[in-house]
Amino acid sequence: MEIKNKYEVIIGLEIHVELSTASKMFCQCSASYFGKEPNTNVCPVCLGLPGALPVPNKKAIEYTMMIGKALNCKINNKFHFDRKHYSYPDLPKGYQISQYDEPIAQHGWYQPVMSSKKFRITRVHLEEDTGKLIHSKNGTYIDFNRSGVPLVEIVTEADFRSADEVKTFVEELQMVVRYLGISQADMEKGSMRLEPNISVKDKTKIKEGELPPYKVELKNINSFRFAKKAIDYEVKRQIELLEEGKVPVQETRGYNEKKGITFTQRVKENADDYRYMPEPDIPYFEFDDKYLNSVFLKVPPVPQEIFTNLIKQRLNKKTAFILMKNKQTLDFFNEVMPELLKKNSEFITPQAVANLIVNEKVDIKNSKDKFISNVIKILRPIQTDKDLLTQVVKKVLTNNPNAVKDFKKGKENVVMFLVGQVMREIKGKAKPQDVIEEIRKSIKD
Amino acid sequence: MNLIGKSVTELRNLIKSKKVSKGEVWDFFVKRVEKYNKKLNAFLTIGEIKNLDNDGELAGVPVAIKDNFCTKGLRTTASSKVLDNFIPPYSATVVKKLEGAGSVILGKTNMDAWAHGSSTETSAYGSSKNPWDLSRTPGGSSGGSAVAVSAYLSPYAIGSETAGSIKQPAAWSGVIGLKPTYGRVSRYGLISMASSTDCPGPLTVSVEDAALILKVLAGKDEFDATTSQVEVKDYPKLMKEKRKFTIGISDEFLAGVDEDIKKAFFKVKSDLEKMGHRFKKVSLLSPEYSISVYTILQRAEVASNLSRFDGVRYGNTREFFGEEAKRRVMLGNYVLSYGYYDAYYKKAQKVRTLIVDDFKRAFKDVDLILTPTTPMTALKLGEWEKYPFFGEKMDVLNEPIAIAGLPAIDFPVGLDRKGLPIGLQLTGNYFKEDEVLNAAYQLEKETEFYQVIKKGFKKWR
């Protein structure tokens, strides 16, 4: 049996998204910590000082509900926070406030616009980010600026069968989050983090519907490009082990982007015991449908809907997808298009305008008016400069006596060569139809 | 001026009318602390006079604060060596409110380490001594605060109660202790013991003082999500309304209680009846159930709350934890472990709901419930080691109330045959501190609480 057919790649995702709320999850410190002096964006609460208590950020809860809704989840009317205990220097309380048995959202699905497959979403929950360790030659330092920043965790079912499926999904998830306006979702800056759980199933040994006895969690993936590379590498590594008759070890592996390899970070022999307990410092939440519906109203159209709209405007799929990738670009398109359509020109079609935008023929950073006038200039019908045409044709015919001779002998296709010569010379300032006519007329004369 | 025994209300009025200066008041108490603290070990750290420009309700009145409340710039240890050098960069909401009202922190009081205990004997800084008998414990965990008030080293003190830690030492030391409804007073800045029952409250020499301090402390705090929106009442005013109550008594809360305490209990019952209050029997779940429920929930929360003291910050490692804290952390982690959670923690939460419902049912028939505060009076130092789960046993009558989060006041009602104070408590329905205080105030007016508090001061002239 061929290797390709013998093995099935099985991947589930954990994706963390940092919310761009004004303040942190449980205190008044700014949620924007990037580039700040270490430990200048902290207070008793996010430092976990004795006696400090968490007060939840309502906006963050609302944002999490919005993500859940966009991912077709059931949003729970009742939920609460839990304490997840583990000991690490960047976790100042010795536990992370997270959600365990009653997350904000669960049981959803999402189908990327360029994909024919639905991926199931297990749950979407809200938690707090940790501090950061800074390793230097003098020792390890802790920066708590990031401690307590709201973090949404999205967990999928193990529905992915290739790195490409993962890439398509995650890229579009980034788009969704940015459309919601709730996160920068920047992988390079860590405001979006991807942790795939990867295993490879030997179909000759494991029955359908069953999963391999291990999984490997990948960490430190800092871009979409590396995501694909890391997964491809890991899948290859696992298949090699399976081919040797070995079972890969259940572990957490990091990705080294310089070497393009994954390496062991932590071997998990048993499942971690986080000793979850309900967070007693935060009352349980109960929201009525009226409130939930008011939050759902804030969820803008999701990519599938936007995509359908663009296709209705007769854009081709590829252009539509590129156009909508960036919300600002799409917004700009949606803003200028109605005015451009008012010009009632057969040349100014949504596809033509979209082409100009995605190929960067016209700068959208200019004002709307400037853009519109530029587009009109480019897409207007060509007016033939008759005098110039006569002059140029005369010149071209004089310079190409053999072609003229051939034409007279009845070689009709020579005319296209002559048209090409004229068009080059005249720099597009004539309609092709007029050029052909002028050539025929001149040769006859 | 001899200020011995003056209530907060009296001191405040003397200061307001300029009969005595804030500085004189401060010196008076500091001198007493200097004189008696070596014997009593009530204070761990002494404060500084400040806040002199404040003209608030408590202007110039010193306060002793239990050492598990963070005080900005003033060492806060929770009586554990783990925090031996901890100087908080912020103050608890309770501290801010008292200072806002003009009080001055006289010092930080000794307690059981992390509030784990009922005698102050788990303190890393030695036990506090009962002012009534130095060979006995004052109770705990707010033992230092109770001693400070009992020997009048401070006109009032702040304690915290998880299950009995205000009322039990108040009973054993012969002063008044008020535990408000859970969520009535902010926990922000109170080093958490068991978050779901922790509750700050005052220890005082008069009911009026307790009402006054509660009025200052109570209210929604934006820094504590578990504080309640329920409106804060004018307790000192409402306390003085002439009201008649239906008071419940429960046989379950008298089982196993010392005879002298029972005798005092029935004396007070008949006094209250003479004053026109009605009594009615209520049947409550045996407090014994609460021991298991409370122990499981509290240990779990303790293990979780102490996990922040991981040795990375605050200077001292986990080796500095005492034996009691280590025991509690181990048991707490056990009940939260995978596979055991449902059998212990979850089950305990369910029984907790039953206990809450039990009280709710009882309060349909009665306004208040009168019970002893403790099954016995103050024990000798060292005796706690003979009792496994000593604290739980001593607080058996407080645990149901704490688990339910109800308000209750302890007050002294006499001395036993050993000459030690006996305390009773009145428990009210949720946020009915006004009723609890009203009844206690009536009894105080009528009996002067049998002169116990005054007798206490006499030894410490």
Side-chain angles (χ1 to χ4, degrees), chain A residues 49-51 83 85 92 273 275, chain B residues 90 189 304-305 308 313 333 338:
Chain A
L49 289 189
R83 291 182 179 181
H85 298 90
D273 188 351
R275 303 187 307 280
Chain B
Y90 80 111
S304 178
N305 285 330
R308 71 185 59 194
R313 294 159 296 265
N333 280 328
Y338 188 78

Side-chain angles (χ1 to χ4, degrees), chain A residues 48-113:
Chain A
L49 289 189
L53 299 172
V55 176
N57 181 334
K58 204 171 170 197
K59 199 90 206 167
I61 292 172
E62 203 178 291
Y63 282 0
T64 309
M65 289 174 168
M66 287 164 71
I67 295 187
K69 190 67 187 166
L71 300 179
N72 303 296
C73 289
K74 178 189 179 298
I75 311 300
N76 292 325
N77 290 87
K78 283 183 183 177
F79 55 84
H80 69 268
F81 286 97
D82 293 281
R83 291 182 179 181
K84 178 184 181 179
H85 298 90
Y86 66 93
S87 189
Y88 205 68
D90 66 9
L91 187 69
K93 296 190 294 298
Y95 56 83
Q96 179 189 33
I97 303 177
S98 178
Q99 295 189 285
Y100 181 53
D101 53 348
E102 284 185 329
I104 292 177
Q106 62 200 127
H107 309 313
W109 55 268
Y110 191 78
Q111 180 175 354
V113 293

Side-chain angles (χ1 to χ4, degrees), chain B residues 194 203 354 418:
Chain B
L203 293 101
L354 294 179
K418 287 171 267 182

Side-chain angles (χ1 to χ4, degrees), chain B residues 181-212:
Chain B
T181 309
Y182 179 78
R184 176 73 299 178
V185 176
S186 169
R187 293 183 293 119
Y188 186 71
L190 165 63
I191 299 176
S192 296
M193 202 262 255
S195 316
S196 70
T197 52
D198 284 349
C199 189
L203 293 101
T204 61
V205 300
S206 79
V207 176
E208 186 169 25
D209 287 359
L212 179 68

Side-chain angles (χ1 to χ4, degrees), chain B residues 132 153-154 247 272 292 352 366:
Chain B
W132 289 79
L153 305 189
S154 179
I247 301 171
L272 283 165
S292 319
R352 180 182 203 165
V366 298

Side-chain angles (χ1 to χ4, degrees), chain A residues 19 21-31 42-48 51-61 64 79-84 91-93 95-99 104 125-130 146-151 279-283 285, chain B residues 188 221-225 308:
Chain A
L19 296 180
T21 46
S23 57
K24 287 185 180 179
M25 188 59 226
F26 298 113
C27 62
Q28 294 302 309
C29 292
S30 169
V42 292
C43 76
V45 177
C46 54
L47 285 173
L53 299 172
V55 176
N57 181 334
K58 204 171 170 197
K59 199 90 206 167
I61 292 172
T64 309
F79 55 84
H80 69 268
F81 286 97
D82 293 281
R83 291 182 179 181
K84 178 184 181 179
L91 187 69
K93 296 190 294 298
Y95 56 83
Q96 179 189 33
I97 303 177
S98 178
Q99 295 189 285
I104 292 177
H125 74 243
L126 184 54
E127 57 190 30
E128 57 177 337
D129 212 341
T130 63
R146 193 180 70 176
S147 173
V149 168
L151 200 58
E279 168 55 274
D281 289 329
I282 303 171
F285 289 90
Chain B
Y188 186 71
D221 180 10
E222 60 169 331
F223 291 105
D224 178 357
R308 71 185 59 194

